[in-house]
Amino acid sequence: MNLLEKFPNIKILKDEPLSKYTYTKTGGKADYLVFPKDRFQVESIVNFVKDQQLALTVLGNASNLIVKDGGIRGVVIMMTEMKSMRRIDSNTLEAESGASLIKLTHLALDHSLTGLEFACGIPGSIGGAVYMNAGAYGGEVKDVIDEVDVISRDGLIKTFKNPDCHFSYRHSIFQEQNDLILSVRFKLQAGDAALIKEEMDHLTHLRQSKQPLEYPSCGSVFKRPEGYYTGKLIQDAGLQGHRIGGAEVSKKHAGFIVNVDNATATDYTDLIAFIQATIWKKNQVRLETEVRIIGEDVD
Ligand code: FAD
């Protein structure tokens, strides 16, 4: 494989440490880290990867990821250079997959469009938000999605209407199909800019007061188990402040694991396993991770 010679016009980094990009500041190296600028560049890379039978991983803004310390073999596409967004008709915004969800909420405010306020503090990309069906404060991305354009691993471009995405709590069909999300159209409602701003300011204040935003983290580590609050389970088990290596159960929000002292991905995964085992023993509740854990262990 000589990816750099084959694609001289695409930004490609070899043996690149992913800890430079993940929100936890942990993780090993990608063999090749590729930053396509548009869907044609994505298409070229996907077709090359298919022909060469290489492994392919896609990242958005890496805010919901733990990349293991052994890194990721093959080609890793990071979408963050595909970040254009615009209004395409009175109530519809379109964004490329690497665009920031937070910036999209600002564009919605600029056009007095309501529906995206809940997302004003979620630090993901558009693609990552759709893949995860990200949500907060009673809203979910699924509530405002019209259509999603993807490219399959075979190089086919397809469009999914909202019902075809099979959204549910922190889940979309893309978690099973492995398509790469290219762009997304959002249907919003005409609103009052002052009220939209007031709601966004209120939610930002709530987030700042409750979440340990001063440390690197990947947000809520676990999904909410039916009938329980994850943070309360972890808090009641006395795990707040518990540390493995440089990873610590946040003292401010028990659902977060923060990198307080040069944590490794192994510190994170060991602490996750410890929390799961403790809560199972104490409450017989299985905590399933919301954060995606990918890559290889160190040999
Ligand atoms: P990544 O972390 O890069 O990837 C997540 C998954 O999506 C991976 O499996 C990846 O392969 C896949 N993916 C990413 N882009 C694409 C694409 N273009 N095509 C196909 N697959 C793709 N989440 C919430 O839901 N609500 C919150 O309130 C919230 N608060 C957070 C607060 C903090 C401080 C942090 C650090 C995280 C928070 N998160 C929250 C988690 C995270 O921001 C969201 O899950 C976000 O949607 C992830 O987007 P991303 O672009 O960072 O995805």
Side-chain angles (χ1 to χ4, degrees):
M1 165 177 63
N2 198 336
L3 214 62
L4 282 85
E5 275 177 23
K6 174 95 184 146
F7 299 106
N9 298 325
I10 303 182
K11 181 177 165 191
I12 302 176
L13 304 174
K14 196 169 179 310
D15 293 327
E16 179 69 356
L18 291 168
S19 54
K20 284 164 70 175
Y21 306 90
T22 56
Y23 265 61
T24 58
K25 306 273 174 245
T26 65
K29 292 178 180 172
D31 287 349
Y32 289 93
L33 183 61
V34 181
F35 294 89
K37 280 224 249 338
D38 56 42
R39 61 168 62 194
F40 304 107
Q41 293 193 343
V42 177
E43 210 171 344
S44 309
I45 298 286
V46 166
N47 285 323
F48 178 80
V49 162
K50 182 183 67 168
D51 293 345
Q52 302 286 317
Q53 300 186 322
L54 302 170
L56 175 64
T57 304
V58 55
L59 308 184
N61 210 21
S63 66
N64 198 39
L65 278 182
I66 293 171
V67 176
K68 292 186 185 173
D69 294 317
I72 305 180
R73 302 291 71 80
V75 175
V76 178
I77 293 183
M78 192 155 191
M79 292 291 195
T80 43
E81 300 281 310
M82 282 176 54
K83 54 187 178 194
S84 74
M85 55 176 84
R86 66 202 173 111
R87 179 157 81 153
I88 56 171
D89 67 38
S90 55
N91 287 0
T92 312
L93 300 182
E94 182 175 61
E96 285 186 303
S97 66
S100 144
L101 181 60
I102 292 176
K103 287 194 176 149
L104 189 75
T105 67
H106 296 162
L107 183 67
L109 171 61
D110 290 346
H111 291 293
S112 302
L113 291 171
T114 180
L116 265 174
E117 294 87 329
F118 74 89
C120 68
I122 302 179
S125 68
I126 298 299
V130 170
Y131 182 95
M132 294 302 301
N133 183 22
Y137 304 114
E140 282 179 308
V141 160
K142 78 168 171 53
D143 304 334
V144 284
I145 299 280
D146 183 20
E147 293 178 328
V148 180
D149 297 334
V150 306
I151 181 167
S152 72
R153 305 252 162 169
D154 292 330
L156 296 175
I157 308 266
K158 298 181 273 182
T159 297
F160 285 70
K161 298 291 291 176
N162 182 316
D164 305 328
C165 299
H166 296 178
F167 288 120
S168 59
Y169 171 61
R170 299 296 174 271
H171 176 267
S172 71
I173 194 168
F174 308 111
Q175 295 178 13
E176 275 102 55
Q177 301 224 150
N178 281 322
D179 294 329
L180 284 73
I181 297 162
L182 294 171
S183 54
V184 181
R185 284 172 290 287
F186 293 83
K187 262 281 177 261
L188 302 170
Q189 306 293 323
D192 177 322
L195 293 178
I196 295 168
K197 176 145 191 341
E198 196 181 310
E199 177 68 359
M200 284 167 62
D201 289 347
H202 169 62
L203 296 181
T204 302
H205 175 72
L206 272 185
R207 206 174 263 276
Q208 284 167 349
S209 64
K210 296 219 163 16
Q211 297 185 357
L213 302 179
E214 60 280 23
Y215 289 108
S217 81
C218 50
S220 296
V221 173
F222 301 102
K223 291 185 183 173
R224 195 179 53 239
E226 191 110 11
Y228 296 91
Y229 288 104
T230 314
K232 186 160 182 354
L233 283 173
I234 296 173
Q235 203 174 340
D236 291 351
L239 290 176
Q240 269 187 301
H242 190 86
R243 227 190 240 207
I244 294 184
E248 180 180 283
V249 180
S250 166
K251 294 176 188 123
K252 191 166 175 187
H253 186 314
F256 280 51
I257 295 179
V258 285
N259 181 349
V260 287
D261 186 13
N262 296 310
T264 61
T266 309
D267 294 340
Y268 261 85
T269 50
D270 286 353
L271 187 51
I272 288 171
F274 180 76
I275 296 167
Q276 287 172 319
T278 307
I279 298 302
W280 175 249
K281 210 158 132 192
K282 186 166 183 292
N283 307 88
Q284 286 74 54
V285 175
R286 280 196 201 289
L287 286 183
E288 192 190 330
T289 51
E290 173 177 325
V291 62
R292 315 293 292 186
I293 302 171
I294 61 175
E296 300 186 358
D297 292 313
V298 187
D299 291 336

